[in-house]
Amino acid sequence: MTNRHKSETSGDGDDAIDPQQPGGLSRREFVKKGAVAGIGAAALAGNDRAQAQEPEADASGISWDYEADVVIAGGGCAGLTAAIRARDLGASVLVVDQNFDLGGRMLHSAARMSLGGGDPIQQRDIAGEVDAEGFITVDPLESQAEIEDSVELLFKDVTDWSIVDPKGQSPYRYNERELARAWAENCPATRQFLMDNYVRFSRVSGTHGGGGLSRARLATCFLMLGDKTDIKAGTITREDAGVADRERSSAFSPIPMGNARRLVGPNAVANGAALSRALEFSAREKGIQFILHRRFEEIIREQPFAGRVLGLRAQYTPRLHPDTGERLESLWQDGNIEERRETITIRARQAVILASGGIAGNPEVRGMFYPAMREPAFPTSGRALLGPGGQDGSALIAGLRIGANMSGMQQNLSYHTTFHISTRLGTRDAYTGMMPGHPTFGYRDSSGFNVGLAGFEEFIAVNQVGKRFFSEVRLPRRPGPSAYPGDGGAPGRGLDHKPLDWRNCRKEWVRQMYNYDHGLDAALAMNEGSEAPHYYSGPLWAIFDQAAVDRNGWQLRYPFVADNGYYFKADTIEELAEKIHAGNEFQRVPLSYLADTVATWNRYVDDGVDPDFERQEDGPMNHVATAPFYALSIMVIWHDSYGGLRVNGKQQVVDMQGQVIPGLYAGGEAVGGFNKHGLGKGHVHGFIAGTHVVEEPNSA
Amino acid sequence: MDNLGRAILLSVALTSLAHAQVIDTSASRSIWDAVYTEAQAARGEFAYEGACSYCHGYRLDGAADDPDMRSSPPLARAKFLRNWEGRSLAVLYELTRTTMPEDNPGSLSEQEFIDVIAYMLSVSNVPAGEKELRLDLESLAGIAIQQSP
């Protein structure tokens, strides 16, 4: 598939879809199967015919602009997986997404997917085999014993009451048992399903957070560097991979892909693009249709709190280039429906799947978990990539309006890095390493400058009034993930770990292993600039001098920093404070104390003692005295979401009376009750939802 | 315990245990005596990018390439040299060879580990010379890590 052109293999012809592909259906076959399933011709219409369709009113009196068997809100890891699965099983599928392109946050992920339960990749590595295409040339990274797994062990792991993490919280104890069981049972099938849809997995190595402590279950998605980008062949050009030039990524992959030689072999590159683009390619090939630039806002149900879910109402939310004002367009176009009306209604003849993500980008919603995080200065991860409609709580809000229940809301606080301080400075969009080359780079202007933990000893960190608030060295430290082979809190590392053992949370042990620096909480604390009613804590700044730049060889230039309100340089501290106040959109008050803070700090450096925060214990202290002086933003990031809609083991949304809401499913970060980080949750949820939606009665 | 803590603890253990005999505290040379070659560092860069940069970052500053990963100890420049001040390259080599990469220690060849150390020195602005760093513990034990010449 070439950029912005219909591919030669998936055009408009009746046999456009390769019938040789596993699960693939040609359009002719699809029509045949669709007819058996009772799918009307209107749902099968191509782009043009779908647009021309006259609104139809059904018994509910609603005029529908579009209809399909399965309608999915969100084209990320859960949505795309659900779409392909339902399509494979014979349904017509329409996906709406608020962004200009597909993939959601999967596209900017590292594609580290922790499944398990004896999944096919674990089996492959146990057998010492390589992948079918022969790309993998390294030996298995884990021993056989570390990969021997079962659904029972996986289920036990993800519901283990005894695990307490280094933050003193319990990542598995509160998981919904039915949901966790269904997840564990579907992990092996989901891994195979993804492989059947062009996703290539590396050797197994460790486990992602929330994926259990007993076995290694994580594999990373990769592509091979080659002369052309070809999903079927599994190759990608150096330019598309973002490895030709370290300071340039591509429309294909917003973040430069990582070197996967250790996990795969020479010339392998890995990140979320290898996963997301593979699934997207397959979805478009199989005839799934997409309406982009469109944010779903409302679930249409027969009655406000009763009856079946009939469809969605969605708003036009075009993403425009911040400089040119032109609408951004998706990398690939096949299957896109061009639709610019303000509001449309979409009828789901079988079911709606909510896969539109979590709440991390909605300060008002996330404020229910940590009121200080109502501070709008701090974004969700992927702000530039997804825009303001990303992770905005759409599914939760719409679900609540029709009576859905919530689940696991407290679990937003029981994942160790739900929110954290980024070591990437000088950009508001501080989670990713997106570089110029991706269409949304203009929303961040600078990639930021990742100084790592070690870089935090090079500056003083101040709050919105210019006061230090914590030991800089401790500020960004994060506790370890609750994952194999350890560091997750339990005393036994690797195969020595014993699940369901009371000693895992014996208080003497927890006291010993507790390892959380509360720098983030100090950063969010009220200060002299916090005002009623919200008492926002305000932006955070790293303040340093030219000597720090010289010591570290920091390259403070574009694209790492830019004149975008998150990087400042001045000849005096007073001037620096004025520039920050004038130039940053969230700097509501002057940094009145900054000059005094720097003077005091320099005296502490002379004395070798920091009586305020005992920095001398944590690392070297350096003067901030050599002009010019610099300020880089320090960002708190709300990484992802755990609390959300309550679903059962089929991913059906459940209401507050414990009853299934007919015709409504949800997966990924839109649901709660499963404290599993990242892709492993979303893909399996999507697979389960896609499996069961086709069992719904078809109202056609 | 964080990575740095483990690394320091392990290096202390190494010093006092099996490799004590090769840790010559009165090393005759330092890293500043042109102990590696540019070609070796270039080979090391290749090995580093495939095996180490994921966690330690492509700038070797400990800023992980993957935002989901926690930061790691810096492997070059002032902070690296300060952390390792006074130890020999033999300790660094043995620690690296036996513990890295974390999920598959020892998965690089011994020569690749040595080449990676040459690359770390190169990025630290330690001058190169005419002779390669040799894969020989006794020789490595005679080369001290110092923050400055």
Side-chain angles (χ1 to χ4, degrees):
Chain A
M1 223 176 271
T2 54
N3 293 8
R4 302 187 182 183
H5 297 288
K6 287 183 182 295
S7 77
E8 293 177 3
T9 57
S10 54
D12 286 329
D14 275 353
D15 290 310
I17 297 164
D18 183 359
Q20 302 303 315
Q21 291 305 315
L25 294 172
S26 71
R27 184 157 299 181
R28 193 170 289 144
E29 287 175 313
F30 176 44
V31 170
K32 213 181 298 172
K33 294 200 177 191
V36 172
I39 301 173
L44 298 172
N47 296 0
D48 295 340
R49 280 172 288 171
Q51 283 185 79
Q53 182 183 331
E54 289 296 318
E56 293 177 12
D58 67 4
S60 65
I62 295 168
S63 292
W64 299 102
D65 298 304
Y66 292 89
E67 62 181 62
D69 294 336
V70 177
V71 177
I72 301 177
C77 63
L80 272 183
T81 305
I84 298 171
R85 177 64 172 162
R87 186 74 181 85
D88 284 351
L89 296 174
S92 63
V93 180
L94 177 60
V95 178
V96 295
D97 195 294
Q98 56 86 28
N99 204 2
F100 76 102
D101 204 356
L102 292 166
R105 294 198 310 169
M106 166 172 57
L107 191 58
H108 83 187
S109 74
R112 289 152 46 78
M113 198 188 304
S114 190
L115 298 177
D119 73 48
I121 294 298
Q122 289 178 309
Q123 299 293 338
R124 183 194 68 193
D125 279 14
I126 288 171
E129 295 171 350
V130 298
D131 56 315
E133 294 161 302
F135 290 143
I136 295 179
T137 52
V138 299
D139 292 334
L141 298 172
E142 309 277 10
S143 69
Q144 290 187 7
E146 291 177 289
I147 327 174
E148 289 279 3
D149 201 4
S150 69
V151 169
E152 290 301 327
L153 182 57
L154 182 58
F155 179 46
K156 188 185 294 184
D157 268 6
V158 296
T159 50
D160 192 332
W161 70 273
S162 71
I163 305 300
V164 174
D165 71 17
K167 204 175 172 182
Q169 306 188 99
S170 305
Y172 302 109
R173 182 179 299 169
Y174 307 111
N175 282 344
E176 287 280 358
R177 296 166 186 185
E178 181 188 6
L179 188 57
R181 179 73 200 187
W183 181 82
E185 288 180 350
N186 280 277
C187 276
T190 302
R191 185 81 85 181
Q192 185 61 51
F193 169 84
L194 295 170
M195 293 160 66
D196 292 341
N197 286 281
Y198 302 121
V199 178
R200 283 94 176 169
F201 286 104
S202 75
R203 290 297 188 199
V204 174
S205 174
T207 301
H208 219 177
L213 289 173
S214 294
R215 292 294 185 274
R217 294 161 173 148
L218 183 151
T220 302
C221 305
F222 70 90
L223 290 168
M224 303 300 291
L225 292 174
D227 294 335
K228 62 176 182 174
T229 298
D230 183 338
I231 295 294
K232 284 189 171 182
T235 59
I236 185 169
T237 64
R238 294 175 61 81
E239 288 72 24
D240 278 347
V243 300
D245 176 352
R246 277 202 190 283
E247 296 176 19
R248 190 160 185 83
S249 54
S250 70
F252 186 97
S253 177
I255 304 178
M257 297 180 80
N259 186 322
R261 189 164 73 93
R262 186 175 61 83
L263 297 167
V264 179
N267 292 322
V269 288
N271 78 4
L275 167 64
S276 183
R277 295 301 184 192
L279 283 183
E280 179 189 347
F281 182 90
S282 186
R284 291 184 184 278
E285 196 177 41
K286 289 177 174 176
I288 292 162
Q289 293 191 296
F290 303 94
I291 304 182
L292 301 175
H293 298 283
R294 189 155 293 273
R295 180 177 175 278
F296 108 92
E297 292 196 331
E298 186 182 350
I299 302 164
I300 302 171
R301 193 174 181 183
E302 287 177 323
Q303 297 167 42
F305 297 105
R308 286 193 69 80
V309 164
L310 303 175
L312 295 178
R313 186 170 281 115
Q315 300 290 322
Y316 184 48
T317 54
R319 291 208 69 195
L320 309 178
H321 192 284
D323 300 325
T324 67
E326 289 180 13
R327 200 180 79 162
L328 302 180
E329 301 300 337
S330 58
L331 176 70
W332 294 327
Q333 311 283 307
D334 311 54
N336 284 5
I337 295 173
E338 175 63 25
E339 171 57 77
R340 299 193 184 214
R341 278 176 287 178
E342 188 62 28
T343 303
I344 59 170
T345 54
I346 307 170
R347 180 188 181 205
R349 289 186 293 214
Q350 285 185 287
V352 165
I353 302 175
L354 303 179
S356 54
I359 52 85
N362 187 327
E364 192 53 43
V365 177
R366 71 190 187 199
M368 79 172 76
F369 309 109
Y370 197 156
M373 277 302 292
R374 209 167 269 124
E375 166 61 87
F378 302 132
T380 180
S381 66
R383 187 191 68 93
L385 177 65
L386 299 183
Q391 304 292 317
D392 63 354
S394 305
L396 179 65
I397 295 165
L400 287 173
R401 284 181 178 151
I402 63 159
N405 199 357
M406 298 175 283
S407 179
M409 300 310 273
Q410 87 288 359
Q411 290 184 303
N412 274 301
L413 299 177
S414 58
Y415 190 75
H416 64 288
T417 58
T418 298
F419 31 83
H420 59 83
I421 289 180
S422 175
T423 57
R424 183 181 296 277
L425 311 178
T427 179
R428 185 167 179 234
D429 193 36
Y431 178 71
T432 82
M434 184 203 290
M435 288 288 174
H438 189 268
T440 63
F441 185 81
Y443 289 100
R444 68 198 314 231
D445 288 329
S446 58
S447 70
F449 196 82
N450 193 346
V451 300
L453 289 181
F456 274 63
E457 70 183 41
E458 300 292 347
F459 52 75
I460 58 170
V462 301
N463 61 20
Q464 64 177 348
V465 294
K467 281 191 170 181
R468 291 177 66 226
F469 54 89
F470 208 71
S471 165
E472 287 78 2
V473 175
R474 292 169 181 252
L475 189 55
R477 286 184 185 167
R478 293 196 254 166
S482 184
Y484 190 87
D487 294 339
R493 284 181 60 86
L495 293 172
D496 293 333
H497 168 64
K498 293 184 179 61
L500 307 177
D501 189 313
W502 71 276
R503 295 171 191 85
N504 292 332
C505 55
R506 177 158 51 182
K507 69 179 180 184
E508 291 83 357
W509 162 250
V510 175
R511 282 188 184 129
Q512 183 183 332
M513 67 85 178
Y514 183 85
N515 185 25
Y516 179 57
D517 282 293
H518 294 253
L520 179 142
D521 307 285
L524 293 173
M526 286 184 286
N527 51 59
E528 289 83 344
S530 303
E531 295 177 354
H534 295 298
Y535 298 97
Y536 290 139
S537 53
L540 308 165
W541 300 100
I543 307 291
F544 52 97
D545 65 357
Q546 185 62 40
V549 176
D550 296 340
R551 269 197 307 276
N552 295 280
W554 286 347
Q555 297 181 49
L556 298 176
R557 59 171 175 80
Y558 186 84
F560 305 117
V561 295
D563 182 19
N564 61 353
Y566 293 86
Y567 163 70
F568 299 95
K569 179 179 176 182
D571 290 330
T572 66
I573 293 293
E574 289 77 4
E575 186 191 352
L576 189 67
E578 288 169 11
K579 282 187 171 181
I580 296 170
H581 187 208
N584 178 268
E585 58 189 309
F586 297 102
Q587 183 65 43
R588 307 173 184 93
V589 295
L591 291 91
S592 308
Y593 297 86
L594 185 61
D596 284 347
T597 298
V598 171
T600 301
W601 168 256
N602 286 331
R603 282 200 305 276
Y604 292 171
V605 176
D606 291 337
D607 297 342
V609 176
D610 166 20
D612 298 332
F613 301 106
E614 302 178 16
R615 257 289 305 278
Q616 72 278 3
E617 303 293 330
D618 297 328
M621 299 162 59
N622 296 294
H623 290 102
V624 181
T626 308
F629 300 99
Y630 299 86
L632 287 172
S633 61
I634 302 173
M635 205 54 65
V636 178
I637 295 167
W638 194 297
H639 187 157
D640 52 358
S641 313
Y642 295 95
L645 295 170
R646 158 114 159 84
V647 296
N648 65 14
K650 292 182 175 181
Q651 303 298 141
Q652 294 172 294
V653 179
V654 175
D655 70 15
M656 295 202 184
Q657 284 73 47
Q659 302 299 311
V660 164
I661 297 178
L664 186 63
Y665 291 70
E669 291 190 48
V671 310
F674 193 46
N675 223 166
K676 169 85 177 65
H677 182 65
L679 302 164
K681 174 170 66 178
H683 287 289
V684 178
H685 284 182
F687 181 79
I688 297 171
T691 300
H692 292 292
V693 283
V694 299
E695 298 164 359
E696 292 282 337
N698 193 305
S699 61
Chain B
M1 187 183 301
D2 61 19
N3 290 335
L4 181 59
R6 272 209 305 279
I8 291 171
L9 190 71
L10 189 54
S11 68
V12 170
L14 280 169
T15 308
S16 58
L17 295 173
H19 300 280
Q21 71 275 14
V22 297
I23 311 304
D24 181 358
T25 51
S26 58
S28 54
R29 294 193 294 163
S30 86
I31 56 173
W32 299 94
D33 294 327
V35 298
Y36 71 98
T37 70
E38 290 293 352
Q40 186 176 23
R43 291 201 308 270
E45 179 177 8
F46 180 76
Y48 177 89
E49 285 190 352
C52 321
S53 70
Y54 201 66
C55 301
H56 293 279
Y58 76 88
R59 295 192 191 95
L60 289 76
D61 56 3
D65 287 353
D66 171 11
D68 259 8
M69 302 290 286
R70 285 175 297 160
S71 288
S72 299
L75 297 185
R77 307 184 190 87
K79 279 186 277 291
F80 161 73
L81 297 177
R82 189 184 72 226
N83 291 341
W84 284 85
E85 168 77 28
R87 295 186 178 86
S88 77
L89 285 184
V91 178
L92 177 61
Y93 169 78
E94 276 300 281
L95 174 76
T96 309
R97 188 183 66 79
T98 55
T99 63
M100 293 288 139
E102 262 193 336
D103 61 355
N104 196 12
S107 57
L108 274 65
S109 71
E110 292 183 340
Q111 186 62 48
E112 283 177 313
F113 280 116
I114 284 287
D115 292 346
V116 167
I117 289 174
Y119 178 53
M120 290 157 61
L121 296 177
S122 165
V123 176
S124 301
N125 292 320
V126 174
E130 302 296 321
K131 289 186 176 176
E132 290 202 351
L133 201 53
R134 286 193 297 128
L135 183 56
D136 169 49
L137 274 183
E138 218 162 317
S139 162
L140 293 173
I143 305 172
I145 299 171
Q146 294 175 352
Q147 295 187 61
S148 53

